[in-house]
Amino acid sequence: MFDIIKAIILGIVEGVTEFLPISSTGHLVLVDEFIQMEQSKAFVDMFNVVIQLGAIMAVVVIYFNKLNPWATQKSSLEKKQTWTLWKKVIVAVIPSVIVGLPLNDWMDAHLMNWLVVSIALIFYGVLFIVIENRNAQTQPKFSDLNTLSYKTAITIGLFQVLSLIPGTSRSGSTILGGIMVGTSRYVAAEFSFFLAIPTMFGASLLKLYKFFKHGGSLAGLQGVILAVGVLVSFVIAYISIRFLLNYIKTKDFKIFGWYRIILGIIVIGYFLIFH
């Protein structure tokens, strides 16, 4: 019973942080230091990744029409633009697949800890503030997803590779990359959302495969725990995405930069003092 309550808490954390540029994996790693499930390490490691499926489904629901190339109400041009958008998303995902697959186990073993998360939180928090200040008076080159070039898409994909380091934030790295290459905040955020779909579905399937390959099972309570976490992350992520899209219509990302810096400093202080 207590593990279901913990799954709800972790689902809330995942839903809030997956699409805000503050690192969902980093937060889950930190929360795990205080709220530990009475389950095997293999299950917890799998749970912390697969729980993101709920958040990804929130993107699919919100953008179903925009991402659906078969929508009957779309014109031939709009259907073509949707297919082109998917091609750009797939191209942008390739760098993470090339780098992430061979390094996945090594990163799990060496980078999933509070120190790496804290440093990444602070570093990219500073970078957000610097980039936003630099671009304060700059007009974006791309204010519409349909104008995004393949070159720009793959450049953003290269930034997504940085998010393989816990605490970086997949949405944070891609949004930063988008802004740096000339997209508007809105376009950067939306393209980041769309990149999450194949990226996180792939990561989740890989984790599930490894979990089952090594004898894992979702029979009984573990299946319920995972289902609860995924469902809660879906609901909270839906709200979080709506909030972010409204927020960036009139504001920049600097507040998230400051949040990252403050959280990183607090975490370092806590572990230096109490561990």
Side-chain angles (χ1 to χ4, degrees), residues 147-196:
T147 65
L148 206 66
S149 67
Y150 280 96
K151 179 182 177 181
T152 303
I154 198 167
T155 301
I156 295 173
L158 290 171
F159 274 92
Q160 182 171 245
V161 174
L162 299 173
S163 69
L164 295 171
I165 299 173
T168 297
S169 169
R170 192 206 54 77
S171 62
S173 62
T174 50
I175 288 171
L176 264 177
I179 293 173
M180 289 174 71
V181 297
T183 72
S184 67
R185 296 184 187 95
Y186 205 90
V187 167
E190 283 199 324
F191 195 67
S192 173
F193 297 161
F194 302 157
L195 272 182

